Amino acid sequence: QYQDWLGNLTQGDLGFSFISRSPINELLWQGFKVTIVLSSLAVLLALVIAVPLGIWAAQTPGRLDSLIGFTSQTGVALPEYWVAPLLILFFSLQLGWLPTAGWRGPLYLVMPVVTLALRPIAYFTSLVRQAMLEVLDSDYIRTAKAKGLSLYTILFKHALRNAFLPVLTMSGLWFASLLGGSVIVEVIFAVPGMGRLIFDAVLANDLPLLQASLMILVALTTLTMTATDILYNVLNPAIQIDHRNF
């Protein structure tokens, strides 16, 4: 049976769902589009917030640095299954600003994206701060300061490019993990993504759908990490291997 399934897979045929009797290709495509949007926005939001915070923390040692570090590390300790209900309770039930659940417009994106972005924000902030501290202590940065370059030029045209390389790698890791790790958030907010699809397949014992979903997630994770490695190599040619030495 598995051999037959692999044979059909090479022809783009993933079979039919046991429960809905719909083609699995269509179900996966619908869920894939939603999860890609959700994961991309979560990582983007994390970078937009974490990069300035990390730079600020590296530039202001002392109480402010400690406060930023404490706040960012607090995000690591807040699990999604606890944050999501609190956001619903406050912004939906108390204030009435955002819809509780669903996927029918931009407002439905806000709470799921924020929930998924909290932990990456914490990791990215800490990583940017550490990377900036190391870069700012390097010889070429001291030379740039000696030449009288402005702080803006030193930070954003020289230091940030090198400091951002480890953040790029971490972004790829988080994006890959969110593709298959957003199950809890998608279930709580009734988001029809890959995570919700896998959750429903497990509950319904829909083996063809579950098997195809996991295979697609593994393939996407592998492609994402490969693309991250290639981009890292392009942005930092110094790590390229000189094959003439072999």
Side-chain angles (χ1 to χ4, degrees), residues 35-115:
T35 299
I36 284 291
V37 171
L38 194 62
S39 301
S40 300
L41 290 177
V43 173
L44 181 61
L45 176 63
L47 289 173
V48 168
I49 295 176
V51 171
L53 282 179
I55 296 175
W56 194 12
Q59 283 293 299
T60 54
R63 292 184 177 181
L64 183 58
D65 182 17
S66 301
L67 177 61
I68 294 176
F70 174 78
T71 305
S72 63
Q73 290 306 312
T74 302
V76 178
L78 299 179
E80 289 84 355
Y81 61 81
W82 184 77
V83 173
L86 285 183
L87 292 179
I88 293 174
L89 178 64
F90 185 70
F91 289 103
S92 295
L93 301 182
Q94 294 292 332
L95 299 178
W97 291 354
L98 299 171
T100 304
W103 191 261
R104 295 188 293 273
L107 288 179
Y108 291 85
L109 289 159
V110 176
M111 289 195 292
V113 169
V114 170
T115 303

Side-chain angles (χ1 to χ4, degrees), residues 1-163:
Q1 291 179 353
Y2 187 66
Q3 183 178 356
D4 292 340
W5 182 80
L6 288 177
N8 293 332
L9 175 62
T10 59
Q11 302 175 15
D13 181 10
L14 295 175
F16 292 84
S17 167
F18 279 169
I19 305 303
S20 66
R21 307 308 301 171
S22 301
I24 293 178
N25 290 354
E26 297 180 3
L27 296 176
L28 290 180
W29 176 240
Q30 294 171 2
F32 171 76
K33 291 188 295 183
V34 172
T35 299
I36 284 291
V37 171
L38 194 62
S39 301
S40 300
L41 290 177
V43 173
L44 181 61
L45 176 63
L47 289 173
V48 168
I49 295 176
V51 171
L53 282 179
I55 296 175
W56 194 12
Q59 283 293 299
T60 54
R63 292 184 177 181
L64 183 58
D65 182 17
S66 301
L67 177 61
I68 294 176
F70 174 78
T71 305
S72 63
Q73 290 306 312
T74 302
V76 178
L78 299 179
E80 289 84 355
Y81 61 81
W82 184 77
V83 173
L86 285 183
L87 292 179
I88 293 174
L89 178 64
F90 185 70
F91 289 103
S92 295
L93 301 182
Q94 294 292 332
L95 299 178
W97 291 354
L98 299 171
T100 304
W103 191 261
R104 295 188 293 273
L107 288 179
Y108 291 85
L109 289 159
V110 176
M111 289 195 292
V113 169
V114 170
T115 303
L116 287 176
L118 284 179
R119 289 164 65 85
I121 287 173
Y123 283 104
F124 291 168
T125 301
S126 178
L127 189 60
V128 171
R129 174 188 174 276
Q130 185 61 37
M132 286 294 294
L133 287 175
E134 294 178 2
V135 171
L136 290 175
D137 194 40
S138 59
D139 292 336
Y140 78 93
I141 293 296
R142 284 193 288 268
T143 301
K145 291 179 180 178
K147 290 181 177 179
L149 297 180
S150 66
L151 180 61
Y152 176 85
T153 301
I154 293 173
L155 288 178
F156 293 98
K157 292 189 177 181
H158 295 283
L160 185 58
R161 179 175 181 180
N162 289 328

Side-chain angles (χ1 to χ4, degrees), residues 209-231:
L209 179 57
L210 180 61
Q211 183 172 265
S213 300
L214 294 178
M215 186 272 297
I216 292 296
L217 285 179
V218 170
L220 288 175
T221 301
T222 303
L223 290 174
T224 300
M225 296 313 304
T226 302
T228 302
D229 289 340
I230 294 173
L231 186 58

